[in-house]
Amino acid sequence: MQIRRVIGSFFLVRALREYLFRKKMKRRGKCLHLHGYECITKIDEIGNSLGIKLWIEWGTLLGFVREGALIGHDYDLDFATLILSSDLYNSFYKSLCANGFVLIRQFKYNDIIISETYSYKNVHVDIDYCLHENGKIVNYEYDVKNNTKIKKDKTGYHYENLGAYIYTFNDFSLVRGKFKNQIECYIPDDAEEHIRYAYGQNWKTPDKNSDWKSLNNYEYSEDDNKLTGWMKE
């Protein structure tokens, strides 16, 4: 009887966590569609004021190319730019903070910032900082592994021994693009090819449950000493 109670409690807790997670994602999705375009404009204006070209990436670019709009079931914004110098990054960070953006995640590879997440009116904005080498654009996406070390303190959660999915895009130029509602931003000039590489040949068909790992369009690194991270929540 005791074992049954323990097992029942385990499944109850897991179901509760899944419910709360779904509820949080639904709330974030609503915020995205309320404030997402405002956020895109602000990021674009901040970048332009500092001479930084930030382009929309991943799901945000997919929605732009496929629908001319943000994807209905998405819950965050995706941007990318090239790795910034220390001084330029500091100016960018200060400008974001001054405009209401709050840093909630940061990941580094060899102490170089490769990914951040900011919150703006509960819209999560992912910004990837890409390498430009040998005529390629290289994008690192972190992965929490089974042996990733996680420590918590008053500032949040600190991660060591992370893995990385490494995406290597063909070099591209940036052009101005407009969503159907006329909101402007930078996009890769080969946007469709870019999306095809990122999401596969079936990118035109919406799929909430697509298995991106099965595409095998990345390299995986388990270089434990190089990739570290921090999350506020």
Side-chain angles (χ1 to χ4, degrees), residues 51-62:
I52 302 170
K53 290 186 177 180
L54 294 112
W55 64 91
I56 55 172
E57 186 59 276
W58 302 116
T60 307
L61 181 62
L62 175 62

Side-chain angles (χ1 to χ4, degrees), residues 55 57 81-82 130-139 167-175 187-191 193-194 197:
W55 64 91
E57 186 59 276
T81 189
L82 298 180
C130 303
L131 294 171
H132 190 196
E133 55 185 18
N134 301 321
K136 302 288 184 179
I137 304 294
V138 183
N139 187 313
Y167 292 85
T168 303
F169 294 91
N170 289 327
D171 202 356
F172 52 84
S173 299
L174 294 174
V175 296
I187 63 171
D189 64 345
D190 62 346
E193 187 60 36
H194 195 92
Y197 168 74

